């Protein structure tokens, strides 16, 4: 299975002046933990890291320290996640039929979750890892006034990995460019193109590292694994 890792995250919400994936959790960078999970996932045979070229030397140093045995390719990212994934799709080996896309900042995803998504995408055209929402969600207008309360039983929090048929995802990205769609994940492109996206049960600990508080939570989770 081929794995693309969007890894061009800025450190703005972290208060950092570098790619947040280079920040440390338990003496390893965030991206190192993500790569170690991919290395340990038996289904993953190739890894593409999509990032800005000015970060490549740092990525190469991390990869060398980890002594990873799977082939890894550095791919130039775009100005948005959507553009970056588009670039990653073009860089896939010619024989890639399915692909998993996993955010580099989700460094707590386990090899078991990567393997489960890799197995499931052999049976579906598109899927995402997700977990049922526990909190009551409110729809709020620009004035801060609650407009409605959606039925929680139908709400899921999207995670990554997300898995897709490569050719279909390329077509959806091309349509997104043609129509000027701006989306936050690749599943939304499938939805806009009317293609079914299935759910694979994710992991409650599979959080996205976005704030300093997330770093502390990740430290706690990794310490107790």
């Amino acid at each position: 299975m081929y794995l693309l890792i969007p890894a061009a995250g800025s450190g703005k919400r972290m208060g950092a002046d570098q790619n947040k994936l280079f920040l440390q959790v338990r003496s390893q960078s965030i991206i190192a933990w993500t790569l170690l999970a991919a290395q340990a996932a038996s289904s993953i045979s190739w890894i593409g890291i999509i990032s800005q070229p000015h970060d490549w030397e740092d990525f190469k140093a991390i990869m060398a320290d980890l002594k990873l045995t799977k082939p890894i390719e550095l791919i130039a990212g775009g100005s948005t996640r959507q553009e970056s994934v588009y670039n990653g799709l073009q860089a896939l080996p010619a024989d890639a039929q399915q692909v998993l896309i996993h955010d580099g900042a989700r460094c707590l995803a386990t090899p078991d979750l990567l393997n489960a998504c890799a197995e499931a995408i052999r049976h579906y055209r598109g899927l995402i890892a997700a977990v049922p929402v526990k909190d009551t969600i409110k729809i709020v207008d620009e004035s801060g006034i609650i407009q409605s309360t959606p039925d929680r039983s139908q709400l899921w929090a999207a995670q990554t990995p997300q898995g897709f048929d490569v050719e279909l995802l390329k077509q959806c990205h091309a349509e997104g460019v043609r129509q000027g769609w701006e989306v936050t994940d690749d599943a939304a492109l499938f939805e806009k193109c009317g293609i079914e996206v299935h759910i694979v049960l994710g992991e409650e600990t599979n959080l996205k590292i976005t704030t300093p508080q997330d770093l502390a939570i990740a430290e706690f989770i990794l310490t107790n694994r």
Side-chain angles (χ1 to χ4, degrees), residues 104-139:
R106 289 191 184 271
C107 63
L108 301 173
T110 67
D112 285 345
L113 180 58
L114 290 167
N115 287 334
C117 291
E119 174 58 29
I121 195 54
R122 301 186 189 280
H123 307 285
Y124 302 130
R125 296 190 293 177
L127 62 81
I128 67 169
V131 292
V133 169
K134 296 186 212 176
D135 297 324
T136 297
I137 303 298
K138 302 292 184 181
I139 306 298

Side-chain angles (χ1 to χ4, degrees), residues 29-161:
S29 62
I30 292 172
I31 190 60
W33 289 108
T34 306
L35 290 171
L36 287 170
Q39 171 71 23
S42 59
S43 61
I44 303 301
S45 58
W46 181 95
I47 301 166
I49 299 175
I50 313 167
S51 64
Q52 300 305 326
H54 59 72
D55 284 334
W56 284 2
E57 289 306 313
D58 291 311
F59 280 114
K60 288 176 182 177
I62 291 168
M63 289 153 51
D65 287 342
L66 295 176
K67 296 179 171 61
L68 303 174
T69 60
K70 295 180 179 180
I72 302 179
E73 183 170 335
L74 292 171
I75 303 162
S79 60
T80 65
R81 183 188 187 281
Q82 189 173 339
E83 288 181 7
S84 292
V85 173
Y86 179 86
N87 291 353
L89 291 172
Q90 311 315 309
L92 285 172
D95 62 346
Q97 295 182 343
Q98 292 95 21
V99 65
L100 295 184
I101 300 169
H102 182 59
D103 289 340
R106 289 191 184 271
C107 63
L108 301 173
T110 67
D112 285 345
L113 180 58
L114 290 167
N115 287 334
C117 291
E119 174 58 29
I121 195 54
R122 301 186 189 280
H123 307 285
Y124 302 130
R125 296 190 293 177
L127 62 81
I128 67 169
V131 292
V133 169
K134 296 186 212 176
D135 297 324
T136 297
I137 303 298
K138 302 292 184 181
I139 306 298
V140 180
D141 68 14
E142 61 277 2
S143 301
I145 298 172
I146 293 172
Q147 299 299 300
S148 63
T149 304
D151 179 2
R152 186 173 63 190
S153 68
Q154 295 184 311
L155 297 177
W156 289 68
Q159 301 180 344
T160 65

